[in-house]
Amino acid sequence: MQLNTKIYDADLYPDHFDKIPDSILLLILNKLADIRSLGRCAAVSKRFNSLVPLVHDVYVKIDKVVSIDGDSDDYPYSNSHKPRAFFATFFKLFANLLKPFNNAVNSSNKTLLPQVSQHTAHTPDQVLRNFHHIHNLRIELPSGDVGTEDGVVLKWKAEFGSTLQTCVILGGTLLDKKPVSMDRGGGAAVDDNGSIPESFYTNGGLKLRVVWTISSLIAASTRHYLLQPIIKDHPMLESVVLTDADGQGTLSMTGDQLREFREKPFAASAASSRRTQVPASNMKLRYAPYLELPGGMGMQGATLVSIKPTSGEGSSSSKKEVESFVRGAFDGLFKAAAKALIKKRTYLLEMNSF
């Protein structure tokens, strides 16, 4: 069998792709963002390999986590870092996160990121080590941190600088289709005069909301602590979002908050050296036994808790700024729930630092 081989003259058949300026390719790579896809691009050619580390927007999706045996100061995910009594394990990443980079070789014959085997684990700061120009970073964990009973709805969003600046928590004991009897004006409707019923205090309702609040704050402060090496290694960061695939919690930091984080030392919690201390805060709790939502949906035991430190950077936020944050914290039905609850009567609580 004779192979038909041809030698192409570069002058007669130029590679038009090479005519695309680096600036245009970087725009495309920034739209791509996903770290696995960027890794595959880096393996295409030396040119791509040199451009991938220059991207401004990076998205890291973590598919799997494992618990760690033993402690190490080099790994902020070790067992001694777990918040006591709230999380059973802590995490580090499986190396398959980096598989696309294994063959991405630069001009000095070094891999773009540390070459790993299937049994080696890497933390997020290691995954991002060779990206030197990140402006916007989004990391997605595989699931929420706070375990809840079946049917329970729990969402939170927090903003941090060197410590907590503001947080909002939305919870409900059940989200379901509105009963038909309600649509017909039947007796299933809940009498809501704006006050919290006495049963809320006696049947464990208040205790449950306290657990939701403390658990969410521990999850947020733990995520905040784990961002420390990433923020330190990437001085060009302008925006960081750390969320999860369940959509349970979101931590966000922007320009001024990132600068504060770098300039001011943050305090580790006395209860756990591997999470940021949650400052003493004022809390505003709003409650509705039943909340009608768009699309024929309803939320039972609907609760909104907004949290603001009593002192420090976050305490200077005006009431209008805090309410704006609360209204924009969630999407879809949960946005509608937050907007409805913010009109309810407010109950003030105080919380010590922990």
Side-chain angles (χ1 to χ4, degrees):
M1 183 177 183
Q2 187 176 6
L3 295 176
N4 184 17
T5 59
K6 294 182 180 179
I7 299 176
Y8 290 93
D9 188 328
D11 294 329
L12 294 176
Y13 302 96
D15 186 349
H16 295 288
F17 197 82
D18 285 342
K19 296 180 181 179
I20 300 177
D22 286 353
S23 58
I24 301 299
L25 289 179
L26 278 172
L27 285 174
I28 297 170
L29 292 172
N30 278 320
K31 292 292 184 182
L32 196 60
D34 174 60
I35 199 167
R36 289 179 176 83
S37 301
L38 290 172
R40 296 185 183 101
C41 289
V44 169
S45 66
K46 289 183 178 180
R47 185 187 182 199
F48 272 34
N49 186 260
S50 67
L51 291 175
V52 166
L54 304 180
V55 297
H56 291 171
D57 303 329
V58 175
Y59 164 61
V60 181
K61 182 178 181 180
I62 301 168
D63 289 329
K64 190 181 291 186
V65 294
V66 293
S67 60
I68 292 180
D69 295 324
D71 288 345
S72 169
D73 291 337
D74 296 330
Y75 287 87
Y77 297 85
S78 60
N79 283 342
S80 65
H81 303 175
K82 55 189 176 182
R84 297 176 186 176
F86 284 93
F87 304 107
T89 58
F90 234 132
F91 316 120
K92 66 180 179 181
L93 312 185
F94 270 127
N96 59 4
L97 182 64
L98 296 185
K99 283 182 181 178
F101 291 95
N102 287 349
N103 298 318
V105 181
N106 60 23
S107 58
S108 60
N109 292 323
K110 295 180 181 178
T111 54
L112 178 63
L113 293 176
Q115 198 165 35
V116 294
S117 70
Q118 195 168 3
H119 305 289
T120 307
H122 288 261
T123 54
D125 54 304
Q126 293 172 322
V127 173
L128 298 165
R129 186 165 292 165
N130 282 62
F131 290 85
H132 305 299
H133 298 266
I134 302 176
H135 290 186
N136 304 298
L137 174 63
R138 183 179 181 89
I139 300 175
E140 182 181 296
L141 298 172
S143 61
D145 307 295
V146 183
T148 58
E149 298 291 333
D150 289 343
V152 169
V153 175
L154 183 62
K155 304 277 183 181
W156 61 265
K157 184 174 182 180
E159 287 188 347
F160 279 78
S162 61
T163 186
L164 178 70
Q165 291 189 355
T166 186
C167 180
V168 59
I169 299 163
L170 174 67
T173 53
L174 183 65
L175 179 68
D176 205 350
K177 285 284 187 182
K178 185 169 58 176
V180 176
S181 54
M182 279 192 172
D183 293 326
R184 296 175 180 173
V190 177
D191 181 20
D192 181 10
N193 60 7
S195 300
I196 293 180
E198 186 66 27
S199 59
F200 181 80
Y201 303 98
T202 58
N203 67 3
L206 179 59
K207 181 181 178 180
L208 177 62
R209 272 67 182 183
V210 171
V211 171
W212 287 352
T213 300
I214 300 300
S215 299
S216 298
L217 288 171
I218 286 181
S221 61
T222 301
R223 293 187 188 185
H224 181 245
Y225 182 90
L226 297 179
L227 287 173
Q228 179 188 8
I230 295 174
I231 295 172
K232 179 182 176 181
D233 291 343
H234 299 276
M236 299 178 71
L237 273 173
E238 298 173 0
S239 170
V240 176
V241 176
L242 181 50
T243 184
D244 57 78
D246 293 339
Q248 184 185 83
T250 300
L251 180 151
S252 64
M253 300 175 71
T254 54
D256 290 340
Q257 294 162 335
L258 289 164
R259 279 189 290 276
E260 180 193 323
F261 184 88
R262 295 186 185 99
E263 294 169 1
K264 292 185 180 180
F266 65 86
S269 167
S272 171
S273 62
R274 293 302 184 263
R275 68 172 177 82
T276 308
Q277 180 170 295
V278 177
S281 302
N282 292 321
M283 300 189 297
K284 293 182 177 180
L285 184 147
R286 299 170 174 92
Y287 175 79
Y290 187 87
L291 199 64
E292 293 189 32
L293 298 173
M297 300 295 289
M299 183 184 291
Q300 295 181 21
T303 309
L304 185 73
V305 180
S306 57
I307 301 163
K308 182 174 134 179
T310 55
S311 62
E313 197 70 28
S315 64
S316 61
S317 301
S318 67
K319 178 181 178 182
K320 188 175 181 180
E321 288 173 329
V322 173
E323 288 196 359
S324 176
F325 173 75
V326 171
R327 292 176 187 275
F330 310 108
D331 297 319
L333 283 177
F334 306 109
K335 185 182 185 78
K339 284 185 174 182
L341 283 167
I342 207 168
K343 300 174 185 176
K344 299 292 183 181
R345 181 178 298 182
T346 300
Y347 294 83
L348 301 179
L349 301 92
E350 292 184 353
M351 177 181 66
N352 294 329
S353 63
F354 64 94

